């Protein structure tokens, strides 16, 4: 073996995720692929996984990762290798006695109608039919996933490795990585020598944090101990087998926090306790490999007892073995997939708490991203840059514990989980709290979601109209009839300076460069023409542009700007922490800002208000006359105090993110990350006005985004509802809300059949509601209020 081995890509980690990436890179045509593993394949969490595979997910991308895994293990690998991977198509169900959980089930089932993985809502009687060993006491229903099953993790991983090796990939076992450096290429030092690679991938799973540290990254994942027990022979199971009955479906009780599946003539029971036990947070012991912790069933005894109450046959088998090993959790329990922030040709494929369940699909997802320059689907739910440098040790530990304990928690549409909060605070944070703000989290920032006069109020967790609906209506009234202020400091903000600013802007997005003194919108695109990023571009001078974007896009956008800027003589600075933003909106706003009242719409002025230097942008995301006032962080409180004093005689109010969402939908404004994703082009999103004419013929235009007015009901739309024409799924809702100014229930949706314009309904929590396409925004369609304030 030579001192330096060269490869196109080095994958670090031989679990289901890393081996799946190796397999799929070979399938996509990369043969010069090298995988290194510190022990042997599957020697992380893969080897002790229970092998559960599901289609249940709240997000279409996560669902597709899981569905791809099922197809791979069940069909593709057996065909390629001539051997079974141990996949059992047992089906699976989730049961509940909680009405909110049934709402969640109906929401997931509605999404699945669109994605093509139909799930069945269950009655108690149907539960008894599918799983006769389960007692029905207290159950109100459930959901059934007919194509779910379980796989042998080792067989599946070894099958992928076999096919990849035949395609030219190499695997170095017993080869721990000792150091990683970057010069012209990546240099990976190992116990068996040094490797030089164009690309490096951290697929180290349990060791993901350590490998990340070698790469210069802070990987926000934490090993958490999870245990499950395997029973000895269960008579009720052997009786079924003797009678030739099919394998029992897997069953999960989210309220009691356990799952049970058949394992030969016995059962497996997996509990998830609320007080998770993190392990080796600051580094896994070097000698750890295919090892387990001692059993600790006392921690989960109450969950075991509850499972035995539901499935009495569990108690008859006795405990054959207990598996207690680490699995990794990220702060939102989704895997980390995609580019490593701030590094060139460095990738993450780690942090999955369900590495076997998601591994087959996750490997294909990243392989497509690496070989095609863009992910195959919207990546925001898994993008490794969704957590920034603010995700410190305390945060990742607190969120891992929370996520483990809520592994079976209800996912509400406006959920705000309490752990790991308060990391990034606007300078106006305390002032917002004093004025009644109820805070939410966005990319580590605290931001006002809504305002209330009730001390200590928190948002109700519900799928129906929550306790913030009436306060939001008051916020909208203030913004539309008087004047309202908002703390908008969570925007991502970037300064671009230098002699090549014009050329940089022309290259960055689909729109022409914004002229000096003006504000424009541009969309950066993927190689396939999908919307990668959306920037509001404020041109301060020939050699100075100021760009703002969504809070959650900060690290994604900073990477993109640096990548584009490398070809030009420009300097790019991330100003997100240094600049605060105050919104002043409403028909009375010109009276609050007489110095700025003559500014044209979509213009910028650098001035002073009082003695405070301000960058004033005449722009509004809520459809009212207004300004965004961008100010240095240390001057924000002084500016806010001045504005508040001026605004009070005009009937000042405040508004938060929920009111802004309602008002922007009344203007049919698209939102990045929900309505605008890499899956759809600007033309499909209805943004042709922001695309240069010469480019329009180059975009795909198969889908069509429409604004829908939906028949009123007790549940307002939020996201991932299927749009139907008759009994045919024809589209998917990407965002929705009640429009308080118009009295309309509104949603933006993509039609995959653009000709489906009539007889539409939206399935919202199992109810079919009539939907009508609106050809114009229902509020101020001619922008009269935006431009004049009248």
């Amino acid at each position: 073996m030579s001192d330096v081995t060269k490869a196109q890509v080095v994958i670090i980690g031989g679990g289901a995720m890393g081996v799946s990436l190796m397999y799929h890179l070979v399938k996509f045509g990369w043969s010069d692929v090298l995988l290194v593993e510190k022990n042997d394949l599957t020697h992380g969490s893969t080897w002790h996984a229970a092998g559960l595979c599901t289609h249940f997910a709240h997000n279409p991308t996560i669902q597709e990762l899981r569905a791809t895994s099922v197809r791979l293990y069940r069909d593709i690998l057996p065909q390629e290798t001539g051997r079974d991977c141990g996949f059992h198509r047992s089906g699976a169900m989730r049961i509940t006695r909680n009405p909110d959980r049934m709402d969640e089930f109906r929401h997931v089932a509605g999404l699945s109608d669109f994605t093509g993985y139909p799930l069945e809502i269950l009655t108690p009687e149907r539960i008894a039919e599918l799983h006769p060993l389960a007692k029905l006491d207290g159950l109100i229903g459930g959901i059934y996933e007919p194509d779910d099953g379980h796989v042998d993790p080792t067989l599946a991983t070894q099958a992928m490795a076999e096919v990849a090796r035949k395609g030219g990939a190499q695997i170095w076992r017993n080869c721990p990585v000792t150091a990683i450096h970057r010069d012209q290429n990546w240099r990976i030092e190992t116990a068996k020598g040094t490797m030089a690679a164009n690309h490096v991938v951290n697929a180290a799973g349990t060791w993901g944090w350590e490998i990340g540290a070698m790469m210069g990254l802070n990987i926000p994942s934490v090993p958490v101990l999870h245990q499950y027990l395997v029973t000895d022979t269960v008579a009720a199971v052997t009786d079924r087998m003797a009678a030739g009955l099919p394998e029992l479906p897997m069953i999960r009780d989210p309220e009691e926090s356990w799952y049970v599946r058949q394992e030969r003539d016995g059962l497996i029971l997996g509990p998830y306790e609320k007080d998770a036990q993190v392990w080796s947070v600051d580094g896994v012991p070097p000698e750890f490999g295919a090892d387990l912790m001692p059993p600790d069933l006392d921690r989960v005894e109450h969950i075991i007892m509850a499972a035995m109450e539901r499935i009495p046959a569990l108690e008859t088998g006795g405990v054959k073995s207990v598996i207690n090993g680490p699995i990794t959790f990220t702060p939102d329990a989704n895997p980390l997939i995609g580019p490593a922030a701030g590094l060139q040709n460095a990738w993450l494929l780690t942090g999955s708490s369900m590495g076997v369940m998601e591994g087959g699909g996750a490997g294909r997802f990243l392989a497509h991203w690496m070989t095609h320059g863009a992910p195959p689907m919207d990546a925001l739910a898994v993008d490794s840059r969704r957590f920034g440098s603010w995700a410190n040790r305390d945060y990742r530990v607190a969120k891992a514990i929370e996520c483990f304990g809520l592994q079976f928690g209800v996912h509400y549409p406006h959920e705000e989980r309490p752990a790991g909060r308060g990391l990034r605070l606007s300078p106006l944070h305390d002032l917002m709290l004093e004025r009644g703000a109820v805070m939410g989290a966005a990319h580590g920032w605290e931001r006002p979601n809504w305002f209330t006069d009730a001390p200590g109020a928190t948002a109700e967790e519900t799928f129906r109209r929550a306790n913030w609906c009436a306060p939001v209506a008051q916020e909208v009234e203030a913004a539309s009839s008087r004047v309202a202020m908002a703390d908008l400091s969570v925007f991502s903000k970037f300064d671009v300076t230098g002699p090549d600013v014009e050329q940089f802007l022309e290259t960055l997005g689909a729109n022409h460069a914004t002229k000096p003194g003006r504000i424009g919108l541009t969309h950066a695109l993927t190689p396939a023409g999908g919307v990668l990023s959306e920037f509001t571009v404020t041109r301060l001078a020939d050699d100075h542009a100021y760009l703002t974007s969504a809070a959650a896009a900060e690290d994604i956008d900073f990477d993109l700007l640096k990548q584009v800027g490398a070809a030009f003589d420009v300097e790019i600075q991330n100003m997100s922490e240094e600049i605060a933003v105050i919104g002043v909106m409403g028909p009375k706003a010109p009276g609050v800002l007489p110095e700025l009242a003559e500014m044209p719409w979509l213009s910028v002025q650098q001035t002073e208000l009082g003695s405070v230097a301000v960058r004033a942008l005449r722009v509004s995301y809520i459809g009212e006359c207004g300004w965004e006032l961008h100010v240095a962080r240390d001057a924000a409180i002084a500016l806010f105090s001045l504005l508040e004093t001026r605004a009070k005689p005009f009937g000042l109010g405040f508004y938060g993110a929920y009111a802004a969402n309602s008002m922007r939908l009344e203007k049919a404004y698209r939102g990045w990350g929900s309505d605008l994703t890499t899956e759809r082009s600007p033309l499909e999103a209805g943004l042709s006005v922001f695309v240069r004419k010469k480019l329009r013929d180059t975009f795909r235009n198969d889908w069509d985004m429409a604004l829908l007015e939906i028949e009123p009901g007790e549940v307002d739309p939020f996201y991932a509802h299927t749009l139907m024409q008759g009994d045919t799924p024809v589209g998917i809702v990407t965002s929705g809300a009640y429009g308080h100014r118009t009295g309309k229930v509104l949603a933006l949706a993509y039609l995959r059949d653009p000709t489906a314009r009539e007889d539409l309904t939206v399935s919202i929590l199992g109810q079919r509601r009539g939907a009508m396409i609106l050809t114009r925004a229902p509020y101020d369609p001619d922008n009269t209020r935006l431009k004049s304030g009248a």
Side-chain angles (χ1 to χ4, degrees):
M1 187 178 299
S2 62
D3 291 337
V4 177
T5 300
K6 295 181 179 180
Q8 187 171 9
V9 55
V10 169
I11 302 166
I12 303 171
M17 302 278 276
V19 175
S20 174
L21 175 62
M22 176 179 64
Y23 167 90
H24 283 102
L25 283 174
V26 169
K27 290 292 184 180
F28 281 123
W30 285 19
S31 59
D32 191 7
V33 178
L34 175 58
L35 183 145
V36 296
E37 161 57 43
K38 71 183 292 289
N39 296 309
D40 205 342
L41 298 186
T42 77
H43 271 210
S45 57
T46 298
W47 82 274
H48 62 74
L52 278 60
C53 296
T54 187
H55 292 77
F56 186 95
H58 305 79
N59 174 277
T61 298
I62 299 294
Q63 187 177 59
E64 188 59 33
L65 295 185
R66 297 172 177 179
T68 300
S69 296
V70 169
R71 289 192 298 271
L72 181 65
Y73 306 150
R74 182 192 63 202
D75 304 325
I76 298 171
L77 288 172
Q79 291 172 5
E80 290 184 312
T81 64
R83 293 189 303 279
D84 193 275
C85 289
F87 186 87
H88 294 245
R89 186 179 177 271
S90 61
M93 67 170 67
R94 296 160 200 262
I95 58 176
T96 190
R97 57 184 184 277
N98 178 0
D100 279 4
R101 182 76 64 180
M102 286 304 300
D103 281 345
E104 179 185 39
F105 288 166
R106 293 185 186 101
H107 180 224
V108 173
L111 164 65
S112 299
D113 287 339
F114 173 76
T115 57
Y117 306 111
L119 308 180
E120 177 187 349
I121 296 298
L122 300 178
T123 63
E125 293 74 21
R126 180 70 168 135
I127 292 171
E129 178 184 340
L130 289 167
H131 203 301
L133 302 190
K135 292 169 61 177
L136 301 180
D137 301 17
L139 296 182
I140 61 173
I143 190 170
Y144 179 55
E145 304 133 51
D147 292 321
D148 284 15
H150 55 93
V151 71
D152 184 312
T154 298
L155 289 179
T157 304
Q158 294 290 353
M160 290 187 287
E162 175 187 332
V163 176
R165 281 196 301 265
K166 288 180 180 178
Q170 296 183 63
I171 300 172
W172 289 7
R173 294 177 171 84
N174 300 306
C175 184
V177 173
T178 56
I180 301 174
H181 307 285
R182 173 78 185 178
D183 41 46
Q184 295 293 336
N185 291 300
W186 287 99
R187 294 177 66 84
I188 300 96
E189 297 179 11
T190 77
K192 294 187 176 181
T194 298
M195 306 163 195
N198 296 333
H199 298 264
V200 64
V201 182
N202 179 350
T206 306
W207 294 267
W209 185 84
E210 289 95 319
I211 295 300
M214 294 182 192
M215 299 168 69
L217 299 170
N218 176 34
I219 304 296
S221 68
V222 173
V224 181
L225 297 182
H226 171 56
Q227 50 189 336
Y228 62 87
L229 59 90
V230 183
T231 74
D232 216 324
T233 300
V234 173
V237 174
T238 59
D239 289 347
R240 288 178 56 85
M241 295 172 69
L245 295 173
E247 181 176 333
L248 286 164
M250 295 181 288
I251 183 169
R252 296 172 174 89
D253 187 328
E255 269 58 65
E256 298 292 351
S257 200
W258 54 260
Y259 64 83
V260 167
R261 78 160 175 85
Q262 184 175 331
E263 173 69 3
R264 298 184 177 87
D265 60 357
L267 297 170
I268 286 179
L269 166 60
Y272 281 88
E273 65 266 40
K274 300 300 181 186
D275 54 338
Q277 185 177 358
V278 299
W279 176 79
S280 296
V281 173
D282 299 311
V284 177
E287 67 278 5
F288 188 82
D291 300 305
L292 294 174
M293 307 297 120
D296 190 10
L297 294 183
D298 288 346
R299 293 177 56 84
V300 293
E301 182 180 7
H302 60 293
I303 305 176
I304 295 172
M305 297 304 293
M308 289 178 175
E309 282 288 320
R310 181 63 65 194
I311 305 178
L314 270 169
E315 197 170 3
T316 69
V319 177
K320 180 179 180 181
S321 60
V322 177
I323 308 299
N324 185 13
I327 56 177
T328 54
F329 271 81
T330 64
D332 59 6
N334 285 343
L336 302 169
I337 306 175
L343 298 177
Q344 184 178 1
N345 292 343
W347 307 84
L348 301 185
L349 183 65
T350 191
S352 177
S353 60
M354 303 178 184
V356 176
M357 180 186 296
E358 296 169 348
R364 185 184 189 281
F365 193 93
L366 183 57
H368 187 286
W369 202 336
M370 294 174 68
T371 58
H372 290 69
M377 292 182 69
D378 174 34
L380 190 57
V382 298
D383 194 307
S384 48
R385 296 163 295 182
R386 68 189 185 275
F387 305 106
S389 58
W390 45 267
N392 58 27
R393 184 187 190 278
D394 289 346
Y395 174 84
R396 60 190 177 94
V397 169
K399 295 300 286 186
I401 293 171
E402 179 183 64
C403 281
F404 187 95
L406 292 174
Q407 178 75 354
F408 289 126
V410 176
H411 289 261
Y412 292 98
H414 301 284
E415 184 177 39
E416 293 283 356
R417 292 184 173 180
R421 298 290 294 271
L423 290 182
R424 305 178 82 185
L425 303 180
S426 155
L428 306 176
H429 177 263
D430 290 347
L431 295 179
M432 292 295 100
L433 292 179
E434 291 170 7
R435 283 143 187 81
V438 180
M439 292 291 182
H443 201 59
W445 289 100
E446 296 292 313
R447 70 170 181 191
N449 277 344
W450 56 290
F451 289 81
T452 178
D453 295 330
T458 58
E460 291 177 339
E461 291 188 326
T462 178
F463 286 86
R464 286 154 171 76
R465 289 191 175 175
N467 59 335
W468 46 261
C469 290
V472 165
Q474 295 175 355
E475 296 171 38
V476 171
E477 187 277 329
S480 59
S481 65
R482 295 177 277 119
V483 62
M485 291 170 57
D487 182 6
L488 306 177
S489 301
V490 300
F491 287 156
S492 301
K493 318 169 197 79
F494 308 95
D495 264 337
V496 182
T497 56
D500 289 351
V501 163
E502 179 92 10
Q503 300 95 309
F504 170 86
L505 294 176
E506 284 285 333
T507 304
L508 175 64
N511 207 349
H512 285 294
T514 305
K515 299 302 180 185
R518 301 295 295 170
I519 301 169
L521 201 64
T522 197
H523 299 91
L525 307 177
T526 69
V531 177
L532 174 60
S533 300
E534 180 183 63
F535 295 101
T536 298
V537 181
T538 302
R539 190 77 177 275
L540 300 173
D542 287 339
D543 61 352
H544 189 180
Y546 175 60
L547 279 60
T548 59
S549 60
E554 181 180 352
D555 292 85
I556 297 170
D557 287 349
F558 196 29
D559 274 355
L560 170 68
L561 295 174
K562 289 186 293 184
Q563 178 184 344
V564 176
F568 300 100
D569 187 2
V570 293
E571 181 181 354
I572 299 165
Q573 292 181 285
N574 185 348
M575 306 297 291
S576 301
E577 295 277 1
E578 283 71 30
I579 296 178
V581 185
I582 301 171
V584 182
M585 306 290 169
K588 304 298 184 183
V592 178
L593 297 168
E595 307 95 325
L596 307 176
E598 299 304 316
M599 282 181 64
W601 181 44
L602 299 180
S603 67
V604 60
Q605 183 174 324
Q606 301 200 80
T607 185
E608 287 191 356
L609 295 176
S611 58
V612 178
V614 174
R615 185 178 292 169
L617 278 59
R618 180 76 159 83
V619 66
S620 169
Y621 190 52
I622 66 172
E624 300 291 346
C625 171
W627 285 261
E628 290 177 7
L629 303 175
H630 297 240
V631 60
R633 181 183 182 91
D634 59 5
I637 292 177
L639 178 61
F640 179 88
S641 300
L642 170 67
L643 295 171
E644 185 176 46
T645 299
R646 288 186 179 190
K648 282 181 177 178
F650 293 95
L652 173 65
F654 298 93
Y655 74 91
Y658 292 166
N661 186 56
S662 169
M663 290 186 279
R664 67 98 179 173
L665 280 163
E666 291 177 307
K667 292 290 291 178
Y669 291 161
R670 280 59 168 156
W672 179 86
S674 55
D675 313 312
L676 302 178
T677 74
T678 56
E679 292 185 38
R680 306 273 74 87
S681 74
L683 297 190
E684 292 173 314
L687 300 176
S688 60
V689 69
F690 300 111
V691 178
R692 284 172 282 193
K693 290 182 179 180
K694 291 184 178 180
L695 289 179
R696 292 178 190 174
D697 292 339
T698 66
F699 289 106
R700 61 179 187 264
N701 197 18
D702 301 325
W703 294 54
D704 182 37
M705 173 158 270
L707 180 67
L708 305 175
E709 180 181 353
I710 298 175
E711 177 186 352
E714 62 173 334
V715 180
D716 291 327
F718 39 97
Y719 53 80
H721 312 294
T722 294
L723 185 65
M724 309 286 291
Q725 187 177 54
D727 293 327
T728 303
V730 294
I732 187 75
V733 167
T734 52
S735 61
Y738 180 77
H740 295 277
R741 296 177 298 196
T742 59
K744 297 180 184 297
V745 179
L746 300 169
L748 284 166
Y750 277 111
L751 296 166
R752 63 181 169 197
D753 179 3
T755 67
R757 316 299 289 183
E758 306 292 338
D759 302 320
L760 300 175
T761 59
V762 175
S763 177
I764 303 177
L765 305 189
Q767 296 183 349
R768 298 279 287 269
R769 307 247 296 270
M772 179 178 65
I773 293 177
L774 301 179
T775 57
R776 302 187 81 201
Y779 187 76
D780 189 28
D782 297 316
N783 291 330
T784 303
R785 297 175 67 88
L786 269 176
K787 296 176 181 179
S788 68

